[in-house]
Amino acid sequence: MAAAGPFSEAERAAVYRAIETRRDVRGEFLPTHVPDAVLARLLEAAHHAPSVGLMQPWNFIVLRDIETRRRIRDIVMRRNAEAAAMFEDERAAAYQRLKLEGIVEAPLNLCITCDRERGGKVVLGRTHQRDTDLLSTACAVQNLFLAARAEGIGVGWVSIFEPDDLRPVLGLPDRVVPVAYLCVGYVDRLFRRPELEARRWAKRLSLEDLVFAEGWDRPWRFPPEG
Ligand SMILES: Cc1cc2c(cc1C)N(C[C@H](O)[C@H](O)[C@H](O)COP(=O)(O)O)c1[nH]c(=O)[nH]c(=O)c1N2
């Protein structure tokens, strides 16, 4: 066991700053190489995520080769045309204007996968909730996002494809699911608020409308600020 008191004020501020200023980045990646030593820190952060039964279902595929990334970008462009066709009228036009991936612009891509058989047939904590392995992998993704923010590195999550689309390109075995496809690279500017909000696609909800006390729909009273 180790001491578990609160962080110093500066340490606390740094943690909240990483959380609050993290952004999903689609454009504006700098071409600067992300050194392997820095990447190793990000992967270490991801690998420190909680996981059901400590099954650590993740793997990390590091993609720097431009040809592989072009193949994946082509898949995303094809799937994006399908997605675009699902919106109507003004929404369709607005969708077309959004930049939703930086696969080729970012110098580095990462695919974070979930091995659905890691840990064997019976895993502590997963017996009644099969998808907790996927949820655990998402925790690893978020750890990486936050560590990247602290390093001045932007991350953009791309999900505009069928998971099976990536299987032949990355040689994924059947038991392995690609959970997150990430564009990664240094950034010198970040949107202050979600880019989709800045571009008037969607709005951040008010936290006060999302917190209940003792049951569904009974608002929790936030303490007055200050
Ligand atoms: C599982 C998942 C999948 C995706 C995303 C996120 C997550 C959690 N996001 C990014 C998403 O739009 C973004 O997180 C929100 O708009 C909030 O913005 P910030 O992350 O706070 O900047 C995202 N963005 C995008 O441009 N293309 C995409 O395919 C995806 N896919």
Side-chain angles (χ1 to χ4, degrees):
M1 301 286 270
F7 287 6
S8 70
E9 208 173 310
E11 288 168 334
R12 253 192 341 260
V15 171
Y16 285 119
R17 182 173 168 222
I19 292 169
E20 283 160 18
T21 65
R22 178 211 55 78
R23 286 277 77 79
D24 188 88
V25 178
R26 300 86 194 248
E28 312 214 356
F29 288 104
L30 302 173
T32 318
H33 176 72
V34 178
D36 281 347
V38 178
L39 173 58
R41 289 200 290 271
L42 302 186
L43 297 174
E44 198 68 56
H47 186 50
H48 273 75
S51 64
V52 65
L54 195 59
M55 80 183 282
Q56 304 157 79
W58 41 73
N59 285 89
F60 305 94
I61 304 178
V62 177
L63 297 151
R64 294 193 191 271
D65 179 58
I66 190 74
E67 284 312 317
T68 312
R69 292 192 285 127
R70 281 199 181 119
R71 282 179 71 190
I72 291 171
R73 195 261 325 261
D74 289 349
I75 291 170
V76 168
M77 284 175 68
R78 185 161 51 80
R79 293 299 190 184
N80 197 40
E82 293 171 0
M86 292 177 189
F87 297 100
E88 289 177 1
D89 306 327
E90 278 168 32
R91 201 73 171 154
Y95 184 85
Q96 299 277 14
R97 286 194 295 272
L98 295 172
K99 176 157 176 53
L100 298 174
E101 53 81 22
I103 295 172
V104 168
E105 295 93 326
L108 168 69
N109 290 183
L110 291 175
C111 183
I112 304 187
T113 61
C114 175
D115 184 340
R116 308 222 64 189
E117 293 178 11
R118 181 104 19 104
K121 274 207 170 77
V122 184
V123 174
L124 183 158
R126 191 192 178 209
T127 48
H128 297 88
Q129 297 197 30
R130 176 84 183 83
D131 289 346
T132 44
D133 55 345
L134 298 171
L135 303 178
S136 303
T137 306
C139 292
V141 178
Q142 180 68 354
N143 268 14
L144 186 138
F145 246 112
L146 293 175
R149 174 65 195 92
E151 298 277 2
I153 291 175
V155 177
W157 189 328
V158 185
S159 55
I160 308 167
F161 52 82
E162 291 280 352
D164 281 347
D165 291 342
L166 297 194
R167 212 167 275 296
V169 185
L170 302 179
L172 303 178
D174 287 347
R175 64 176 196 282
V176 171
V177 177
V179 170
Y181 192 88
L182 304 175
C183 308
V184 180
Y186 284 99
V187 283
D188 55 8
R189 289 147 40 112
L190 286 170
F191 277 87
R192 283 183 202 277
R193 48 193 181 136
E195 190 174 335
L196 290 186
E197 186 172 45
R199 298 195 188 284
R200 297 171 195 278
W201 178 265
K203 274 200 176 139
R204 186 190 283 286
L205 303 173
S206 159
L207 176 61
E208 304 206 353
D209 295 334
L210 303 174
V211 187
F212 303 138
E214 316 303 337
W216 188 258
D217 247 2
R218 280 172 260 165
W220 184 71
R221 286 168 66 88
F222 272 76
E225 272 180 45

